[in-house]
Amino acid sequence: MMKRILVAVLIMCAAAQAELWMPSLFSHNMMFQCNKPAPVWGTAEPGTRITVEFAGQKKETVADSSSRWKITLDPMPASSKPRKLQVSSVEFAGHYAPCRRFAPASAFGGQVSFTNVLVGEVWLISGQSNMQYSMGSIGARDEIASADHPLIRYFHQEDQIASEPAADAKNGRWMVCSPETAEKFSAVGYYMARELQKHLDVPVGLLYAARGGAPARCFMSRDSLLETPATRPYIEQYDEALKTYPERKEKFDGQMAAYKEAVRQAKAAGKKPPQMSAGLNWGCMGPGHRFQPYGLYNGMIKPLQPFAIRGFAWYQGETDGNPRDAVIYRTMLPALIGNWRDDWQDGSLPFLIVQIANHHHTSPENETIGRPKVREAQLMTSQTVSNTALVVTIDVGERDDIHPKNKAPVGARLALAARKIAYGEDLVCSGPVFQTLEKSDQTLLLDFTDIGSGLELRNGGGGFEIAGADGSFVPARAQVDGSRLKVWSAQVSDPCAIRYGWRGWTEFSLFNKEGLPASPFRSYTDEDGIE
């Protein structure tokens, strides 16, 4: 009899042990955003009382009927003091509910504590491979060996493409910057954080959400893509592809299996393995495909919401660098910015845009049309969308490597832009930006904004081209004339158009005296009929 009673009591206790769950954003070594309300959230059995304690604050709530709960901590000043975040759950019956993700938790002690938690400036860094490339990938051995920066924290997550919004980042984890961990950091993110931490003298955290080869449409929500006329066709084409996906996937799997077998046989015979066809390399469009619209948004951006942040740093555009997508990018990038700002319920969150670097594309159309127009779209976005800034990288590219190793200037310029846009410092954070054009006989006179202490020409003044009424461009000479730039060519007696840096791989020469390069530009539009 006593045994049956004991079993019944244990069953009742187990039923009362509702599971508490929190996303991996909340863990040891994490960082809260300073001077903003800081949401903390998760799930638990409906009706479970949740208590969150941190930095002298103690707040409670109850899990709703859908098992969700959220507590928002009051704004906190930046602090480098390691502190403890404690979360506990108690059911209405009075039993502690153990935390599933941080098990083991005792049957009567459903509390979890996260240690070494700081409060500072948190940035979401996103984009494709040039944001993804790690310190280890660029071979920054000396920098890694000296990367003892305990006030820099890095939240890393693995690639995750999802058809529906994911609740958590894939294998998400916070890391403290040290010689043992720095090689895993995004190189651009590391140099940005290092500079910000040095100048702001507060802790700096990075939320990483990047994937190589990803077009911008992968980072936008389905609704946002549908609501933007220029990007709606991406969804329509994808939805149409889904109708025949099972048959196409079966065929694709068969072709892939045959290819792998051909590779195996070639290796066994000591022969050169066959090359993979373009169709196999790009895969079968459907769920989980690298180009699935909204797939990375659901898998890598959505799990970070609504974690409080200071702003975004975005380095993407190479995959959209073809003539068709480059034109759409003019609309898509502003839409992406609006999408993310809406998600974080802050229409003025700073958004820093890294312009794609100098690199030669083997496709003539991409080299002379697509890549220049992507850079132009990035420039236009920085000029028309509030609280944005452009980081120009035309001077740090490598002709035959789309992944330039020189990431330090990129991160430093991002930090410079952040200091002005997000933190209000009075400084020059941009290179010269083309503004107006005046014609004087055979010479074009150019005015720029963001000239800082003055204009400066390097590398022999290359990169400029001018054209007459026939639209034929020829190389031109340039000369600084006070705060203006004079450009001319003996081959053009009546110049009417100019462009600078208008190639995927291009000459460049225009800087301000602060050492920041000018963005490539042109004085005409597509409607003018000049290419």
Side-chain angles (χ1 to χ4, degrees):
M1 180 65 176
M2 286 297 296
K3 184 176 181 180
R4 286 199 298 271
I5 293 174
L6 180 59
V7 170
V9 169
L10 290 173
I11 291 174
M12 291 173 61
C13 287
Q17 302 303 313
E19 291 183 333
L20 170 69
W21 177 86
M22 295 174 69
S24 53
L25 277 166
F26 303 99
S27 62
H28 302 300
N29 306 318
M30 67 171 291
M31 186 181 296
F32 281 115
Q33 171 63 46
C34 65
N35 302 318
K36 284 190 173 187
V40 180
W41 70 93
T43 61
E45 189 75 14
T48 301
R49 186 167 74 250
I50 309 296
T51 303
V52 172
E53 299 176 69
F54 181 73
Q57 297 187 49
K58 182 176 182 180
K59 296 201 170 190
E60 294 185 348
T61 192
V62 175
D64 64 21
S65 59
S66 60
S67 298
R68 297 185 180 91
W69 61 267
K70 183 174 77 170
I71 287 174
T72 301
L73 297 173
D74 297 332
M76 299 168 282
S79 174
S80 57
K81 176 184 178 181
R83 286 182 286 198
K84 179 173 68 175
L85 170 66
Q86 183 165 299
V87 183
S88 58
S89 63
V90 182
E91 277 202 291
F92 59 87
H95 297 280
Y96 281 107
C99 180
R100 178 179 66 199
R101 198 173 67 82
F102 304 105
S106 70
F108 300 99
Q111 299 176 341
V112 61
S113 295
F114 307 122
T115 59
N116 197 21
V117 178
L118 305 183
V119 181
E121 295 292 343
V122 181
W123 287 80
L124 194 164
I125 59 171
S126 186
Q128 56 181 108
S129 53
N130 273 307
M131 182 64 87
Q132 182 182 41
Y133 253 51
S134 67
M135 293 292 286
S137 297
I138 67 170
R141 295 181 181 178
D142 291 343
E143 185 65 39
I144 292 171
S146 62
D148 185 16
H149 305 297
L151 299 186
I152 295 177
R153 305 294 170 86
Y154 183 71
F155 180 79
H156 182 80
Q157 59 175 317
E158 295 179 12
D159 294 354
Q160 182 173 209
I161 300 172
S163 297
E164 298 295 331
D168 197 8
K170 182 179 180 181
N171 294 325
R173 62 195 185 279
W174 282 95
M175 294 183 281
V176 178
C177 185
S178 70
E180 291 70 41
T181 64
E183 68 175 358
K184 299 179 178 66
F185 281 44
S186 156
V188 168
Y190 169 86
Y191 287 115
M192 175 187 177
R194 188 192 67 176
E195 293 301 306
L196 279 180
Q197 202 284 312
K198 179 173 64 177
H199 286 280
L200 301 177
D201 195 26
V202 299
V204 174
L206 301 172
L207 304 182
Y208 165 85
R211 188 182 194 276
R217 58 187 177 271
C218 297
F219 292 93
M220 296 174 65
S221 71
R222 180 181 175 88
D223 286 346
S224 183
L225 288 165
L226 283 170
E227 291 165 3
T228 306
T231 60
R232 187 181 301 123
Y234 290 131
I235 296 295
E236 295 170 346
Q237 293 161 12
Y238 177 69
D239 287 350
E240 190 64 28
L242 287 180
K243 296 177 182 178
T244 58
Y245 177 70
E247 309 93 88
R248 290 186 297 104
K249 184 66 165 61
E250 182 178 2
K251 181 180 178 181
F252 173 81
D253 289 344
Q255 292 173 332
M256 181 60 77
Y259 168 74
K260 289 180 177 179
E261 176 60 21
V263 170
R264 187 193 66 78
Q265 291 181 8
K267 288 182 177 179
K271 299 179 180 179
K272 183 179 179 180
Q275 284 194 330
M276 182 182 288
S277 68
L280 284 179
N281 183 49
W282 288 112
C284 181
M285 174 56 76
H289 189 276
R290 68 173 83 178
F291 284 2
Q292 179 186 344
Y294 62 86
L296 293 174
Y297 171 86
N298 282 339
M300 300 186 77
I301 302 299
K302 197 65 179 176
L304 305 179
Q305 301 168 12
F307 198 82
I309 59 175
R310 178 59 64 195
F312 310 99
W314 173 255
Y315 191 169
Q316 190 277 339
E318 293 88 348
T319 301
D320 290 281
N322 59 77
R324 184 198 71 159
D325 290 332
V327 174
I328 296 173
Y329 204 81
R330 298 176 189 172
T331 303
M332 183 157 50
L333 183 53
L336 182 149
I337 295 171
N339 183 176
W340 288 11
R341 285 175 170 176
D342 287 346
D343 288 339
W344 266 270
Q345 299 182 352
D346 186 343
S348 63
L349 273 177
F351 197 99
L352 313 179
I353 305 161
V354 180
Q355 194 179 63
I356 60 174
N358 217 0
H359 171 254
H360 173 68
H361 199 287
T362 55
S363 162
E365 282 195 336
N366 289 3
E367 173 70 8
T368 61
I369 301 174
R371 293 297 174 86
K373 287 188 177 180
V374 164
R375 293 192 187 112
E376 181 179 59
Q378 293 167 325
L379 171 63
M380 292 168 63
T381 300
S382 71
Q383 294 173 315
T384 57
V385 179
S386 64
N387 231 27
T388 60
L390 183 71
V391 169
V392 178
T393 63
I394 200 72
D395 58 328
V396 299
E398 296 181 26
R399 186 185 189 281
D400 298 314
D401 191 345
I402 200 171
H403 305 121
K405 303 296 189 294
N406 192 12
K407 302 298 189 189
V410 184
R413 291 170 189 173
L414 275 169
L416 201 63
R419 289 167 59 194
K420 181 165 186 175
I421 300 297
Y423 304 112
E425 292 190 46
D426 184 14
L427 47 77
V428 177
C429 72
S430 168
V433 177
F434 173 69
Q435 187 176 33
T436 58
L437 175 68
E438 180 184 335
K439 183 177 173 182
S440 178
D441 297 327
Q442 294 178 294
T443 302
L444 296 178
L445 302 175
L446 282 62
D447 288 298
F448 297 83
T449 62
D450 300 277
I451 64 174
S453 303
L455 297 175
E456 183 175 281
L457 285 172
R458 303 179 182 179
N459 306 326
F464 294 93
E465 298 174 285
I466 62 174
D470 63 355
S472 297
F473 281 92
V474 298
R477 298 180 63 187
Q479 178 183 333
V480 175
D481 184 12
S483 62
R484 311 179 91 184
L485 194 69
K486 295 171 60 175
V487 185
W488 72 96
S489 170
Q491 301 178 57
V492 182
S493 59
D494 187 22
C496 60
I498 185 171
R499 63 191 185 193
Y500 167 74
W502 205 254
R503 295 283 191 284
W505 174 256
T506 177
E507 292 184 86
F508 59 90
S509 60
L510 184 58
F511 292 73
N512 56 27
K513 290 184 178 179
E514 282 72 17
L516 298 173
S519 169
F521 64 87
R522 59 177 174 166
S523 65
Y524 55 93
T525 67
D526 292 344
E527 288 68 34
D528 293 323
I530 302 174
E531 277 293 351

